[in-house]
Amino acid sequence: MPDLLTHPLHIPAAWRGAEIESDPSWIYTLDAAVVQELQAALAAVEQSGQDLLKITSQDFTLPSFAETRLHLLADLEGGRGFALIRGLPVDSAEKQAAMLFWGLGTHLGTPEPQDAAGNFLHHVRDTGRDLSQDDVRKYQTSQDIPFHNDGSDIFMLLCLRNAKSGGSSRLISSTAVFNEITRRRTDLAEILQQPFPFDARGQQPPGQPRAQVVPIYNYHQGHLSTIHKRFYIDLAQRFPEVPRLTPPQVEALDLFDEICAEPAMYLEFDMRPGDILAANNYDILHCRTAFEDHEDPGRRRHMMRLWLTLPTARPLPPSFEHTREFQHSYARRQHDKTEKG
Ligand SMILES: [Fe+2]
C-alpha cells in the first residue's frame, strides 16, 4: 500500500497558474543551430530509409540541443513538471513532421505504446465518432476534455494545425490541487488516496478487468503520483460488477473538480503549429476546450502525441503496475532494475 499523505507538499511541481503566467521560463524556443541539426538528421534518416519506430537518439544527433535537453529533463521530473518547446519546423509533409517529432522525443525518453494495439504515435484529431462506441476515446472527438493525465512518465503533444476556433490547452498541478484539498477537507484528501474504479476503454493489459481500480493520489517513496480522469470514473459506473461510488467519494471528486475550475489554479494557453507541449503525467493534469474545425479536411486541427518513459523518472507505486496508462513505464523500471542486477 502507498503511504498516506496528510499534509501539503511544497515542491516545485506544486504551482498555481497565476504564478506561471508571470514567469515565461517554461517556454523554450529551438534556436537556428538545433533546427539545422534537426533538418540534417531528418535528411539522413530519410535517405537511409529507416522506419520511424526504429529511429533512436543515435540516429538523430542533435549536439546543440544537449544543454536544453538537460534543462527540460530537470523541469519534467523534479521541476515544475512541464515545458513548451517552440519552433519545430513542421511546414513539410506529415511524415517528415512525425520524424522530426519522434527524433527530438528520443532525446528526452523512450517512446512507449499508447494503446492495446501497440501504436507508438497517436494522431489527435476529430474522427467524427463518439463515446457511445466502446473503443472511442476522448482525444478522437472535438468535445472538451476535462482535466486528466495521459500515460507513461510524460506525454509530448505536437501541434501541426489549429482548429478554426477553440481547442485551448489548460494545465494544472495535481499536487497544488491536493494541497488545496488537504487544506479544505483532510478527510477527502484521504478518500482520494483510496481506490477508484476507472473505465479502461478496452485498453487494459491482457487478463485485466475492463474497469481498473487504483487510487487517484498515490504517495510512494516521497513522491505524490496522480492518475485522474473523472469522465472514465463516471463511465465505469455503467458496469454492473463495479461498486457504486459512495457519497464521500462523489464529494471528493466534486471538490477536485471545483478546485480545477478556479482560474487562479490553472494555466491556459493556445498552441501554435510547431509547438510541443511536454508534461509529467504524475504531476500535471491537462485539459482541452471544445473546438470547431475548418470545413477543408486539409486544414483541420491535428496534433501528434508521444508517450515516453524518462531516464530520470521517479519510482512508481505498485498500484500503477497494471494500469493501462503506466504499465509500460512500470515494466521498464523493473526491467532496468534487473539489468543493473
Ligand atoms: Fe490527454
Side-chain angles (χ1 to χ4, degrees):
M1 274 296 286
D3 301 329
L4 181 66
L5 182 62
T6 53
H7 57 83
L9 275 188
H10 301 292
I11 55 172
W15 49 262
R16 285 160 175 264
E19 296 153 12
I20 303 285
E21 263 158 23
S22 56
D23 171 15
S25 62
W26 57 284
I27 303 175
Y28 293 82
T29 302
L30 297 174
D31 63 27
V34 178
V35 171
Q36 213 166 46
E37 287 168 10
L38 280 163
Q39 276 160 338
L42 171 64
V45 291
E46 279 202 294
Q47 202 175 22
S48 70
Q50 199 157 350
D51 181 56
L52 174 83
L53 302 183
K54 300 256 164 62
I55 296 170
T56 67
S57 56
Q58 281 87 44
D59 303 314
F60 225 89
T61 49
L62 304 173
S64 302
F65 184 62
E67 205 182 313
T68 304
R69 172 184 175 271
L70 292 178
H71 286 297
L72 285 166
L73 287 174
D75 283 348
L76 289 168
E77 181 64 279
R80 64 170 74 86
F82 72 97
L84 190 78
I85 307 163
R86 185 150 268 174
L88 195 77
V90 291
D91 13 343
S92 48
E94 190 177 308
K95 188 179 161 212
Q96 278 75 25
M99 283 190 170
L100 288 169
F101 183 40
W102 181 281
L104 189 76
T106 59
H107 285 267
L108 293 177
T110 309
E112 303 287 4
Q114 300 181 37
D115 53 27
N119 293 304
F120 285 80
L121 183 80
H122 270 186
H123 295 272
V124 177
R125 54 187 159 198
D126 182 15
T127 57
R129 300 175 73 208
D130 68 69
L131 290 166
S132 63
Q133 294 160 288
D134 259 1
D135 60 329
V136 176
R137 288 147 70 188
K138 277 261 189 186
Y139 76 88
Q140 297 165 321
T141 73
S142 63
Q143 295 173 12
D144 69 295
I145 308 184
F147 279 111
H148 68 283
N149 53 255
D150 275 21
S152 298
D153 293 333
I154 66 164
F155 76 87
M156 286 175 78
L157 192 66
L158 165 66
C159 175
L160 289 179
R161 284 189 303 274
N162 283 325
K164 192 162 130 196
S165 63
S168 298
S169 302
R170 280 183 196 166
L171 302 180
I172 199 164
S173 156
S174 48
T175 304
V177 174
F178 176 85
N179 290 350
E180 272 309 303
I181 295 172
T182 306
R183 276 188 206 108
R184 297 183 200 183
R185 290 286 302 272
T186 315
D187 59 323
L188 298 183
E190 188 173 336
I191 297 272
L192 292 166
Q193 295 176 73
Q194 296 163 4
F196 279 76
F198 294 71
D199 184 343
R201 305 303 295 160
Q203 304 298 318
Q204 64 271 25
Q208 293 298 314
R210 57 188 175 170
Q212 61 186 26
V213 179
V214 56
I216 291 172
Y217 284 116
N218 299 264
Y219 190 51
H220 178 66
Q221 296 187 19
H223 297 275
L224 184 64
S225 295
T226 312
I227 177 166
H228 188 49
K229 304 170 181 204
R230 172 84 188 251
F231 45 95
Y232 289 160
I233 293 174
D234 290 338
L235 274 173
Q237 292 293 299
R238 72 203 161 107
F239 299 139
E241 73 275 20
V242 166
R244 299 307 89 179
L245 291 169
T246 63
Q249 282 182 315
V250 174
E251 208 183 351
L253 292 170
D254 288 347
L255 178 59
F256 199 117
D257 285 351
E258 195 182 304
I259 293 169
C260 284
E262 291 173 12
M265 293 297 293
Y266 60 77
L267 175 70
E268 180 168 316
F269 56 95
D270 288 322
M271 290 178 69
R272 317 173 185 160
D275 282 358
I276 298 170
L277 172 62
N280 184 314
N281 284 310
Y282 314 120
D283 286 333
I284 305 292
L285 302 177
H286 57 283
C287 136
R288 178 194 81 196
T289 61
F291 64 85
E292 192 192 337
D293 245 335
H294 293 277
E295 283 297 308
D296 174 3
R299 290 182 64 200
R300 287 188 188 157
R301 187 181 195 269
H302 186 182
M303 307 273 189
M304 285 183 193
R305 185 174 73 187
L306 289 175
W307 286 4
L308 303 165
T309 295
L310 286 180
T312 50
R314 70 189 60 191
L316 288 181
S319 48
F320 282 179
E321 182 173 6
H322 300 298
T323 56
R324 73 171 176 88
E325 291 83 0
F326 303 130
Q327 54 176 321
H328 299 292
S329 291
Y330 194 97
R332 197 174 293 282
R333 305 264 203 293
Q334 298 304 106
H335 174 79
D336 291 351
K337 231 190 268 175
T338 318
E339 289 267 289
K340 281 178 196 148

